[in-house]
Amino acid sequence: MSSLRKKLIAGNWKMNKTAAEASALLKDIRIGVGKRNDVEVVVCPPFTALESSAVALEGSMVKLGAQNMHHEANGAFTGEISAPMLRSLFVTHVILGHSERRTLFGDTDKFVNQKVLSAIKNQLKPILCVGETLAERDAGTTLTVVKTQLEGGLEGVNKDTAATLVIAYEPVWAIGTGKVATTEQAQEVHAFIRGLLGKLFGDQTAQKIRILYGGSMKPANAGELLAQADIDGGLVGGASLEARSFLDLVAAAGTAV
Ligand code: PGA
């Protein structure tokens, strides 16, 4: 079944890299990725580096993503960026509902849902993030939390466009902490998410949707995670800021079955 889904490695640079630093890093990443097309590679620099990144990536296999956006096309939304603005910079993907946005900047499921719908309308591929905190895991509510975030974030998404969605399961306690979920913990939630996607969009579509793992993914732990039946790639923070570790993750995704 997993052969239906090309593995995807997405780098979430968060608030790191100036425009010039982004170009320098992407020069190495672009050379390292070369012409390989067995793995889909996406990098998500900060907004201020998108334009120089688009130039650095022109003609390469590496795709460009943003880390957030507003759902309106334009208007009085000081400090925000819209889907058409991202499209004009050759952005193809957008991370939505990252746990840092949810906890530090107040993104709710409803707000995330509006962004998901706007991204799809503007032909951007959403990378919708879901995941539980440590307190929620300890309380045994992981699956309930994930279900609420997933169903809330995907409300109103049309079955016909659902196959282009990317979901990222990111246990909050594993993000930037060096604490990675065990393969069993991750696979359990990924399989659960695929089941929910099946209920929402039908099994055939659910089999096409990539579900990424995120949270301290590193070359040393990636092989085992990526070998799981429902883990279709990674959303990578720390290890995406350096060409060697990011390229090692791309290579690990290429060899994972
Ligand atoms: P990390 O971040 O790889 O540094 O844990 C992942 C993320 O937040 O997307």
Side-chain angles (χ1 to χ4, degrees), residues 132-134 137 169 171-175 177 179-182 185:
E132 81 289 0
T133 63
L134 188 56
R137 176 161 282 271
Y169 168 57
V172 178
W173 49 271
I175 294 177
T177 57
K179 259 200 211 170
V180 65
T182 65
Q185 285 172 328

Side-chain angles (χ1 to χ4, degrees), residues 92-104:
T92 54
H93 292 70
V94 59
I95 299 171
L96 296 173
H98 188 280
S99 66
E100 285 148 21
R101 300 285 333 159
R102 293 176 189 265
T103 57
L104 303 172

Side-chain angles (χ1 to χ4, degrees), residues 57-202:
L57 292 177
E58 209 185 327
S60 89
M61 303 298 289
V62 181
K63 294 173 184 156
L64 195 56
Q67 300 173 18
N68 183 34
M69 57 168 241
H70 194 276
H71 62 277
E72 294 289 353
N74 47 53
F77 301 102
T78 302
E80 291 293 319
I81 301 275
S82 73
M85 292 172 185
L86 296 177
R87 285 273 302 183
S88 75
L89 295 176
F90 306 101
V91 168
T92 54
H93 292 70
V94 59
I95 299 171
L96 296 173
H98 188 280
S99 66
E100 285 148 21
R101 300 285 333 159
R102 293 176 189 265
T103 57
L104 303 172
F105 304 104
D107 278 19
T108 59
D109 285 332
K110 167 119 190 61
F111 197 25
V112 173
N113 179 235
Q114 288 172 307
K115 297 179 194 207
V116 167
L117 295 174
S118 169
I120 293 172
K121 192 171 139 208
N122 288 283
Q123 277 121 41
L124 286 170
K125 296 185 172 98
I127 303 177
L128 171 64
C129 303
V130 298
E132 81 289 0
T133 63
L134 188 56
E136 289 163 341
R137 176 161 282 271
D138 288 346
T141 56
T142 296
L143 299 183
T144 320
V145 168
V146 166
K147 183 173 192 281
T148 304
Q149 290 177 343
L150 193 82
E151 291 177 348
L154 296 179
E155 207 179 312
V157 172
N158 193 308
K159 188 176 179 298
D160 303 334
T161 51
T164 65
L165 288 168
V166 179
I167 309 296
Y169 168 57
E170 300 204 307
V172 178
W173 49 271
I175 294 177
T177 57
K179 259 200 211 170
V180 65
T182 65
T183 50
E184 294 76 20
Q185 285 172 328
Q187 169 57 26
E188 182 200 9
V189 181
H190 280 236
F192 175 72
I193 290 173
R194 191 155 334 267
L196 290 174
L197 293 171
K199 284 195 195 120
L200 289 174
F201 305 120

Side-chain angles (χ1 to χ4, degrees), residues 10-14 95 98-100 129 168 170-179 213-218 234-241 249:
N12 174 11
W13 294 6
K14 309 194 179 183
I95 299 171
H98 188 280
S99 66
E100 285 148 21
C129 303
E170 300 204 307
V172 178
W173 49 271
I175 294 177
T177 57
K179 259 200 211 170
Y213 169 80
S216 299
M217 189 184 255
K218 305 257 169 334
L235 180 56
V236 188
S240 73
L241 295 174
L249 288 172

